[in-house]
Amino acid sequence: MGKGKTIKKAKTTKAPASKNPLFVKEARNFRIGGAIRPTRDLSRFMRWPKYIMLQRQKKILMTRLKVPPQIHQFKHTLDKNQATTLYKLLSKYKPETKQEKKLRLQNLAKAKAEGKAPETKKPVFIKFGLNHITTLIENQQAKLVAIAHDVDPIELILWLPALCSQQKVPYCFVKGKAILGKLVNQKQATAVALTDVRPEDKAEFEQLQKSFKTMFMDNMELRKTWGGGILGVKSRH
């Protein structure tokens, strides 16, 4: 069989682009007095404040080192839906501010001066303050306890879940001591507790108690699981 003939393709030459003599392209000069330099990401070369460096180093250490179950359990917080339900309930029992208390006492004094019988019924509010909550749990007066996951030092509340389990008080871990603080008119709060609720909130309250008991109090796996021990990217290969 004869070989086929190879057909050579004709080379197409591009016509040179016409340049406008009015606009002459000049190379950029980034020296002093020249063009403005492009912005660079200098975050790696920054001297960060000491508290930020400590935060980052602590996070890396907590990832690398093995964390005991008693500390690691604070990472298992409520999800968004459960936390929203809890915060909605707690917001109904916010303690009164200084102005509201002043107004209540004025009305009480006014009623007493007029000879009317003042209301002696104790209002239902969220209880806060670590010592106060500890006393309520020991006396089994607390019905539900919410503990912040980011308390520092952690030793302040490390024993609180064990005390709640011993006294059979439902508890949960929530994200943010600042959010708990906002509920009680403070900057931060390590833990808050409810001792009672109104009749209209009874069903929702009992549902939360039941779910928290299953998730945290009766969850033995949570108290046995170690955390941390995750190596860096370079050490994995």
Side-chain angles (χ1 to χ4, degrees):
M1 290 177 67
K3 292 182 180 178
K5 293 181 179 178
T6 54
I7 302 167
K8 292 183 180 180
K9 292 182 180 180
K11 291 182 180 179
T12 55
T13 55
K14 289 183 180 180
S18 58
K19 293 182 181 179
N20 194 337
L22 296 175
F23 303 101
V24 182
K25 186 178 179 181
E26 292 182 359
R28 284 190 179 185
N29 179 22
F30 294 114
R31 298 182 70 179
I32 296 170
I36 299 169
R37 292 193 175 197
T39 54
R40 291 178 64 190
D41 183 17
L42 300 175
S43 58
R44 189 174 176 81
F45 307 101
M46 277 182 65
R47 186 179 177 85
W48 293 97
K50 195 172 182 179
Y51 77 97
I52 291 178
M53 296 299 295
L54 286 171
Q55 282 175 357
R56 292 177 178 177
Q57 288 165 1
K58 184 183 175 183
K59 187 181 178 183
I60 292 167
L61 269 177
M62 293 295 281
T63 310
R64 301 284 182 273
L65 300 176
K66 285 197 172 182
V67 183
Q70 289 79 10
I71 298 173
H72 184 62
Q73 66 178 341
F74 285 88
K75 296 286 182 185
H76 297 275
T77 55
L78 297 178
D79 60 23
K80 192 176 180 181
N81 295 331
Q82 291 172 322
T84 306
T85 309
L86 177 65
Y87 293 147
K88 277 183 182 177
L89 179 66
L90 292 175
S91 61
K92 295 178 184 178
Y93 299 93
K94 283 185 76 170
E96 57 189 0
T97 58
K98 287 183 179 179
Q99 290 80 11
E100 290 170 348
K101 187 178 181 181
K102 186 179 177 183
L103 186 65
R104 180 173 62 83
L105 292 174
Q106 284 176 350
N107 294 335
L108 196 67
K110 190 178 178 182
K112 197 174 181 180
E114 292 173 356
K116 296 177 183 177
E119 289 185 11
T120 55
K121 193 176 180 182
K122 191 177 180 182
V124 181
F125 290 137
I126 304 171
K127 308 297 180 185
F128 64 99
L130 196 55
N131 292 336
H132 184 35
I133 287 174
T134 306
T135 308
L136 291 172
I137 295 168
E138 286 173 345
N139 298 333
Q140 293 185 341
Q141 293 176 340
K143 300 291 186 290
L144 182 70
V145 179
I147 307 166
H149 85 297
D150 56 346
V151 177
D152 191 28
I154 196 71
E155 289 82 7
L156 287 172
I157 55 165
L158 194 60
W159 45 269
L160 199 56
L163 182 65
C164 289
S165 298
Q166 187 184 0
Q167 299 295 330
K168 293 181 170 50
V169 177
Y171 66 93
C172 65
F173 302 115
V174 294
K175 280 190 177 179
K177 55 188 176 184
I179 298 173
L180 292 183
K182 199 178 286 185
L183 290 168
V184 293
N185 305 317
Q186 301 287 326
K187 285 184 179 178
Q188 296 171 349
T190 53
V192 297
L194 274 173
T195 53
D196 199 9
V197 291
R198 302 185 195 98
E200 59 267 21
D201 298 323
K202 205 82 174 175
E204 188 181 0
F205 182 64
E206 286 174 359
Q207 184 64 35
L208 284 172
Q209 279 182 318
K210 191 178 178 182
S211 60
F212 294 164
K213 191 178 179 184
T214 309
M215 287 172 62
F216 299 99
M217 217 165 79
D218 298 337
N219 190 358
M220 294 304 293
E221 195 65 32
L222 190 66
R223 300 176 208 173
K224 295 178 182 177
T225 308
W226 282 67
I230 302 168
L231 299 174
V233 179
K234 292 179 182 177
S235 303
R236 288 178 201 168
H237 302 292

